[in-house]
Amino acid sequence: MPRLTYTQYAHGEDRTRTLGFCRIHVACDSDIAIKAGVELFNEPKHKAGFRHTLPVPNATTVDPKAVDQWKVVCGKYGTAAADGSFTPANTYFSFEADLGGLTSQPVGAAPFTEYGSRHVHKDEASLRFRPLAAPLNVFSPYAWYDLRDGEEPLEPALGQADPQGRSKAFLDLIVDRSPAGAWVHQSPPVAAQNRPYWVSKA
């Protein structure tokens, strides 16, 4: 592995493309995505539901602050109320991030490697773990926020749905750590409909 600082990695200086992300737990609400993730990419994926508030390209026309604010609640799939909310008892974890007032830099780190670590041999009774790696390409720059010397804008919280399970194991890894950076990627719209107009009669 190359010896790089986090800043160098964020700016795409890993020419070997061997550095990347190790998926520990991947919550997902799509059966197809779970099946593909487990069978093709060795992802430790499991079913969950979400309620989220995420920035959108035109968020500044609605709420100028919304462009920098993120809120995600992950809960038991199928237990959300009509408005999409989860009770504390049905919440796995949640987090809020406010990047307002911080300065971002455009970086192009793709492709980077995503590692999976769960593999089941269907012809054997035992469960074996085998690492798998796959490159991920993102075809436009990230907005990268360097958080090493500033305030921590991220607030994770553990819910009550599985206090000793996946979520706790994950949060225990980061409970005494400070975030090094934030990566924001906005996919361009696939299609956009322009304003309508009346068609004159012939």
Side-chain angles (χ1 to χ4, degrees):
M1 292 289 190
R3 289 186 176 274
L4 298 176
T5 65
Y6 180 77
T7 300
Q8 290 173 325
Y9 171 72
H11 283 77
E13 296 185 27
D14 174 22
R15 303 184 191 283
T16 67
R17 302 303 182 195
T18 53
L19 298 180
F21 306 122
C22 181
R23 280 81 63 94
I24 300 173
H25 297 295
V26 182
C28 182
D29 60 1
S30 169
D31 290 328
I32 295 176
I34 293 173
K35 180 178 176 63
V38 171
E39 296 183 1
L40 297 179
F41 298 102
N42 283 13
E43 289 182 284
K45 227 165 191 176
H46 58 92
K47 193 76 171 283
F50 300 91
R51 186 185 189 189
H52 50 75
T53 301
L54 306 178
V56 295
N58 62 344
T60 53
T61 62
V62 179
D63 182 356
K65 296 181 179 180
V67 72
D68 296 315
Q69 294 180 348
W70 305 71
K71 184 176 181 179
V72 177
V73 179
C74 178
K76 288 185 178 181
Y77 186 83
T79 64
D83 63 354
S85 63
F86 292 93
T87 64
N90 290 324
T91 298
Y92 290 127
F93 69 91
S94 63
F95 76 84
E96 295 186 33
D98 187 351
L99 303 177
L102 302 178
T103 302
S104 65
Q105 302 175 18
V107 298
F112 53 82
T113 303
E114 289 193 326
Y115 293 93
S117 61
R118 185 170 187 267
H119 184 75
V120 180
H121 289 273
K122 295 182 178 180
D123 56 342
E124 298 179 13
S126 61
L127 175 66
R128 294 188 178 183
F129 292 89
R130 183 181 179 185
L132 182 147
L136 177 65
N137 290 278
V138 178
F139 297 109
S140 61
Y142 285 89
W144 175 64
Y145 296 81
D146 190 344
L147 305 179
R148 293 169 300 166
D149 299 324
E151 298 181 359
E152 297 184 13
L154 180 65
E155 297 182 8
L158 181 65
Q160 302 173 11
D162 189 18
Q164 300 300 322
R166 300 183 182 98
S167 301
K168 183 179 186 303
F170 171 70
L171 292 180
D172 283 348
L173 291 174
I174 63 173
V175 67
D176 60 347
R177 305 286 180 173
S178 297
W183 305 63
V184 176
H185 172 254
Q186 179 63 62
S187 298
V190 176
Q193 185 170 5
N194 297 321
R195 288 182 177 274
Y197 57 91
W198 294 110
V199 179
S200 300
K201 293 183 179 180

